[in-house]
Every structure is written in structure tokens, then in C-alpha cells.
Amino acid sequence: MSREPILIVGGGLGGLTAALALARRGRPARVLEGATEFGAIGYGIQFGPNVFHVFDRLGLTEQVMAVADSPPAVLMLDALTGKELVRIPTGASFRARFKHPYIIVHRIDVHNVLLDACRQNDAIELIPEAMVTGFEERGDSVAVTTADGRTFSGDALVAADGVRSLFRAKLIGDGEPQPIGYVALRTIVPMAELKADVPRDCVVLWSGPGLHIVHYPLRHGSEFNIVNVFRTAAHAERLDAAAARAELEHAYRNTQPSMRALIGMMDLRWRRSIGDRAPMRHWHQGRIVLLGDAAHAPLQSLAQGAGMAIEDGLCLGEAIHVADGDYQAAFRRFEAARLLRTARVQLESRSLWDFYHLDESLARDVRNASVAEWDEAHLFDCLAWLYDGAPVPGGR
Ligand SMILES: Cc1cc2nc3c(=O)[nH]c(=O)nc-3n(C[C@H](O)[C@H](O)[C@H](O)COP(=O)(O)OP(=O)(O)OC[C@H]3O[C@@H](n4cnc5c(N)ncnc54)[C@H](O)[C@@H]3O)c2cc1C
């Protein structure tokens, strides 16, 4: 049995899920979060039915559904012509096929569901303002130090510290995530202030040459989440406001009027360069294991980065439980269970990224003609590998 809690560095969706999964099996967890408070960045997030295999096990489905919405469809529209290219129905037939819904939810709300569950569990200790700056393996334990000089030790360590993971930098040393020459902007506006003539109840992806916009409602239709992404040579995370506005308007100059109305609503202060990681075979060393974006950050084109972090959390908790204190065996089992699935998400996200952003060309015409032949049965078959969920050690 553990003598000390397992340290989890990072209280994002992956880290908190891992804490709950460990605690559920009687393993105490101590979560160290660098921010002053446990909390999420305030934007929307989409989840496929696969995450409900985890939420069911953790007893959180009802709480998540209370704060989430299920759209009637996910649409792909042509940014240049406004034509509907793909419609994935996510209503009754989807739910019958995948047994669980597709949801859109405010990230803060789903984060709070996990946080509340952690707070109610005596086996989980949440420590904010604990920015980990160093670590040391000591044979049968791991010790970390924080920016303010505190030391914590644990039986093993789960690095759930995101795409710019300190632990990945030290253990793998493969540098920063690879920028791909695109930036993202995100905004939430009250639904009552939405001026653009766009579908308000669905998830919509407008696909154009070197750009896209994704939007969907949040909080039972009271808010509207907009993400826009475009190719730029100036992918600095900060740019002066006038230059950023001019660049945005230039990028979207040939798109539909409703898209131009949406970009007029964007908050230019949150601007992020987009990058991902290449798939990698091993995520652990000694008593330290990487999880979520620290291990396998994808582009957001499949909207599955957080979904994979949540699946990882449950899988790792079960792997540690099944291995009963043998961390090497547990981490090997965890990697084996998660490698191909997360690598596929990374690779398919890259393919889909190119597919969304095709320049005006014959290739784009071929894409549009091909997707016109996709019916519901075909779309559901294509998504089954992902949405049917993933096995975990010790049984589903
Ligand atoms: C524009 C955009 C849209 C997206 N949309 C979706 C979507 O719809 N669906 C989806 O599934 N995914 C989506 N993603 C991906 C998703 O946001 C990430 O994959 C997910 O947040 C990864 O979770 P995580 O727990 O691994 O890491 P994170 O959420 O990054 O959490 C890491 C945590 O670790 C903390 N931390 C970092 N370093 C330290 C340290 N040294 N010491 C202590 N704490 C530390 C951070 O403060 C943070 O709280 C999107 C991403 C982007 C950029």
C-alpha cells in the first residue's frame, strides 16, 4: 500500500480526473496547481460521448449533464459560399448509436463539477499556488519543490501540467510544441448581443482557405462561444490592437457576411499561437508519468485534447490500482492502453486540420464533392473508434 499520496502536478481536467480515479480506488492524491486558484480558462468546450464512459465510472454524469447542453447537430459550412458541407446529427439517432450524448459546456462549469467531487473526497488534497519548479527522484519516492520554496513528496508523480509541461521538458527534452503558423482567438458573448445571422443551437464549423470559425451556444442558450483561427505570419501571442484587428479583417475578407459579423465581436486580447506535439511512444521514467497534453497534445480539430486527458485520468488510476503499488508495471500498462488511441487523435487532428483549411483549388472541390456523399451511417461509422470510448485496465 502507498505510504505517501501520489503527487499530481496540474489541476486541469486531466489532473483532477486522475485524482478522482485514484481516490476511488483508495489511493490518496495531492494535487499541486501553479495558479492562485483551481479553475479553468473561461471558454466553451465540446465533448464526444467517449468521456461519459469516464464520468459514469466516477459518478459524475448527472452533474455534468446539469451544466451542459446537447446540440441537435454539428455542421461544417463552406466559409466562401455559405453552403452546408457536412451535417452530423447529434440528436436521438446519435444517442441511440453511441449510448451517450455529444455535449457543449462552459469549461469552468465542467471543471467545477470535478473540483467539487475532489473537495468532497478526503483522499484528495488540493494545493493551489504551488508552481512546481524542480523535482528529484529518491529511489522509492519523488520530491518536488515549488517557486516559493516548499517541498512535497509522494510515492509517484503524475505530470498533468499541460502542453508546456516542465516534466516533459526535463524527461523528454523535445522543446516547445511545434507552432503551425496559425493563431486562435476566443470570445464569449451574451446570446442577446449576437448580431450575426448564424445557427444558434448547433456546433458550427466554417471552413475556409487558411481559416475557420467554430461557434456554439453555452449555458442553456444564454451565451455564445466563438473561436476563430487563421493562418498568419505574425503568430506572436501579443500584437497591438489596431494591427490585430486589421490582420483579422484582411484574413476573413472573402468569407460570408455572417462570419465577418462574428469576427467583429472577437476579443483580441486572448490570442494564442497554435501548436501540437508529435506522437511519442513513452511517457514515463522511473516514478514519473506524463498525462494529457503533457504526453500527447493534439491540434483542436477533433475537439478531443481534454477528452483524451480525462480518459487518461481514469485509465491511469485503474492501472495503478491493478498493479497494486508496482508503478513501473502500472505506467507500462497505462502507456500500452493509451498509446495508439492518443496517437491516432494526434494524427487525425493534423489531417483534419489540413482538410478544413484547403486553399481554393481542385483539392478543395474534390473535398466538397466527396463529403456531399457522406450520410449519417457513414459518419457514425467513421466516428465509432473515437466515440465508442476506450478500454481501461481491469475491464471496461
Ligand atoms: C482553442 C482551443 C479549443 C479547444 N477545444 C477543445 C474541445 O472542444 N474539446 C477538447 O476535448 N479539447 C479541446 N481543446 C484542448 C484542451 O484544451 C486540452 O487538450 C486540455 O486542456 C488538456 O488538459 P490537461 O489537463 O492535460 O492540461 P491543462 O488543461 O493545460 O492543465 C494543466 C494545468 O497544470 C497547471 N500547471 C502547469 N505547469 C505547472 C507547474 N509547473 N506546477 C503546477 N501546476 C502547473 C496549469 O496551471 C493548468 O491548470 C482545445 C484547445 C484549444 C487551444
Side-chain angles (χ1 to χ4, degrees):
M1 285 303 290
S2 313
R3 291 154 303 132
E4 287 196 284
I6 292 175
L7 296 180
I8 298 177
V9 178
L13 295 172
L16 295 184
T17 308
L20 290 166
L22 286 165
R24 173 174 173 261
R25 294 300 192 178
R27 303 253 158 193
R30 179 180 281 158
V31 189
L32 304 170
E33 167 55 49
T36 47
E37 280 177 45
F38 280 81
I41 314 166
Y43 295 98
I45 192 159
Q46 308 173 56
F47 287 114
N50 49 307
V51 292
F52 284 95
H53 295 271
V54 181
F55 293 148
D56 273 359
R57 292 256 196 139
L58 298 179
L60 296 177
T61 294
E62 203 179 312
Q63 294 89 318
V64 171
M65 285 311 290
V67 292
D69 293 287
S70 189
V74 175
L75 310 178
M76 178 175 166
L77 307 181
D78 189 317
L80 302 182
T81 63
K83 195 170 167 248
E84 182 176 303
L85 299 173
V86 180
R87 171 176 290 258
I88 306 173
T90 46
S93 57
F94 182 92
R95 208 156 165 157
R97 167 63 185 81
F98 294 109
K99 312 284 185 284
H100 297 286
Y102 192 94
I103 59 161
I104 41 188
V105 60
H106 203 298
R107 202 180 175 100
I108 287 177
D109 295 342
V110 76
H111 203 255
N112 280 340
V113 167
L114 296 179
L115 262 182
D116 286 348
C118 287
R119 287 186 178 123
Q120 285 162 24
N121 197 316
D122 291 341
I124 299 175
E125 189 184 358
L126 298 172
I127 306 181
E129 281 189 274
M131 179 60 79
V132 173
T133 51
F135 62 93
E136 189 190 354
E137 274 209 70
R138 295 175 174 165
D140 58 357
S141 70
V142 183
V144 298
T145 46
T146 56
D148 58 5
R150 284 173 292 166
T151 303
F152 298 92
S153 69
D155 242 19
L157 185 146
V158 179
D161 53 343
V163 66
R164 296 199 159 81
S165 165
L166 167 82
F167 290 87
R168 185 178 178 117
K170 300 270 196 230
L171 299 186
I172 317 285
D174 60 346
E176 288 283 298
Q178 197 61 44
I180 58 164
Y182 283 75
V183 288
L185 303 174
R186 307 203 268 203
T187 292
I188 293 181
V189 294
M191 187 63 91
E193 290 174 18
L194 176 65
K195 302 284 187 307
D197 180 21
V198 292
R200 291 172 183 231
D201 56 348
C202 296
V203 174
V204 176
L205 178 130
W206 297 85
S207 160
L211 57 87
H212 77 255
I213 291 185
V214 171
H215 56 75
Y216 48 86
L218 288 177
R219 292 183 163 156
H220 314 317
S222 61
E223 296 178 5
F224 195 71
N225 184 74
I226 313 167
V227 181
N228 77 315
V229 170
F230 59 100
R231 197 156 50 206
T232 169
H235 46 87
E237 296 200 345
R238 293 191 193 285
L239 208 64
D240 87 71
R245 172 66 57 199
E247 185 194 35
L248 190 59
E249 279 167 12
H250 180 74
Y252 286 81
R253 67 194 177 287
N254 296 326
T255 62
Q256 289 290 295
S258 46
M259 288 181 74
R260 296 207 302 281
L262 290 173
I263 63 156
M265 308 182 81
M266 296 312 291
D267 174 356
L268 302 178
R269 286 169 302 179
W270 194 95
R271 176 184 167 108
R272 290 285 181 280
S273 167
I274 293 180
D276 71 349
R277 300 267 184 200
M280 190 183 68
R281 280 190 189 278
H282 300 293
W283 314 326
H284 83 277
Q285 195 173 297
R287 289 182 172 241
I288 300 173
V289 65
L290 309 179
L291 173 148
D293 270 8
H296 44 66
L299 295 173
Q300 65 258 36
S301 13
L302 262 179
Q304 279 286 340
M308 289 302 111
I310 288 170
E311 285 187 1
D312 276 2
L314 177 69
C315 182
L316 182 61
E318 290 299 293
I320 289 173
H321 169 65
V322 169
D324 197 23
D326 179 347
Y327 291 106
Q328 294 308 305
F331 296 165
R332 273 197 304 274
R333 197 185 276 251
F334 167 65
E335 278 176 3
R338 300 296 299 153
L339 179 66
L340 293 184
R341 180 168 174 83
T342 55
R344 184 166 177 185
V345 166
Q346 289 174 288
L347 296 172
E348 293 217 4
S349 296
R350 284 181 173 177
S351 306
L352 209 48
W353 193 271
D354 296 339
F355 185 76
Y356 289 159
H357 298 123
L358 285 172
D359 285 322
E360 283 184 271
S361 61
L362 189 53
R364 192 165 195 276
D365 298 346
V366 169
R367 178 198 71 183
N368 290 0
S370 311
V371 299
E373 292 169 9
W374 294 355
D375 60 9
E376 178 181 291
H378 175 72
L379 287 162
F380 287 2
D381 283 349
C382 289
L383 292 164
W385 71 273
L386 185 57
Y387 289 169
D388 278 341
V392 292
R396 287 182 75 94

